[in-house]
Amino acid sequence: MIEGVVITNLKQISDDRGKIMHMLRKDSKIFKNFGEIYFSTINFNYIKAWHLHKENTLNYTCIKGKVKLVLFDDRKKSLTKGQYQEIILSPDKPETYLLITIPTNIWNGFKGLDKPDSIIANCLDYPHNENEMLRKDYLAQEFNFKW
């Protein structure tokens, strides 16, 4: 597991009318600040990678479908420098309905594993700002990762 990444099991409450899907509460130990929440769709078998946030903590959960989340740590002073972490996210099973809290400066990306698409919710601690992000192509050789 990459240093600083927190994985939290989430609850769903279901009945014949539908379900409630918990994500993040203000009184949670991992909650820092509310900046913005947005939803990102990932089409089946497509990859959205690589990117990192220099200022924002990310809080990801999959609310529809199934995705593979991949994290890569290249922080100079990290105990897990050079390591990857792969996590399957999906609301379909209790063991994959998770909140993944990702600290700053961790490269991350997704692969869609469900048809026709999947949806990731991201709650950031500051409003989204393209100027605090870095992006690289998912095939960038420096990652040497096989999706």
Side-chain angles (χ1 to χ4, degrees), residues 111-127:
K111 181 175 183 176
L113 301 177
D114 202 9
K115 293 179 182 177
D117 62 6
S118 300
I119 301 174
I120 293 291
N122 183 13
C123 184
L124 302 127
D125 48 2
Y126 299 103

Side-chain angles (χ1 to χ4, degrees), residues 9-133:
N9 291 310
L10 296 176
K11 284 193 338 185
Q12 296 184 53
I13 302 167
S14 299
D15 64 22
D16 58 343
R17 301 168 296 166
K19 62 184 171 181
I20 294 171
M21 301 168 68
H22 289 261
M23 182 176 171
L24 184 60
R25 294 170 50 114
K26 183 178 180 178
D27 60 355
S28 169
K29 292 185 293 185
I30 60 169
F31 180 81
K32 290 184 177 182
N33 187 53
F34 178 76
E36 175 182 4
I37 187 166
Y38 68 84
F39 304 93
S40 180
T41 63
I42 303 104
N43 292 330
F44 175 66
N45 237 7
Y46 278 78
I47 298 165
K48 286 187 171 182
W50 294 95
H51 69 277
L52 71 71
H53 289 266
K54 297 182 279 184
E55 299 171 6
N56 262 316
T57 298
L58 309 176
N59 290 286
Y60 286 142
T61 194
C62 181
I63 62 168
K64 175 187 174 275
K66 184 177 182 180
V67 299
K68 175 167 56 172
L69 167 64
V70 180
L71 309 174
F72 178 69
D73 187 358
D74 75 343
R75 298 172 293 174
K76 290 183 170 99
K77 295 183 180 181
S78 173
L79 296 173
T80 54
K81 180 176 174 37
Q83 292 184 22
Y84 290 92
Q85 184 173 354
E86 296 181 41
I87 305 164
I88 300 297
L89 299 174
S90 174
D92 295 339
K93 296 180 183 177
E95 62 270 18
T96 58
Y97 187 56
L98 306 166
L99 176 68
I100 310 300
T101 303
I102 304 168
T104 58
N105 297 303
I106 299 290
W107 289 99
N108 66 91
F110 299 101
K111 181 175 183 176
L113 301 177
D114 202 9
K115 293 179 182 177
D117 62 6
S118 300
I119 301 174
I120 293 291
N122 183 13
C123 184
L124 302 127
D125 48 2
Y126 299 103
H128 191 272
N129 176 357
E130 281 292 322
N131 295 325
E132 66 90 29
M133 291 182 68

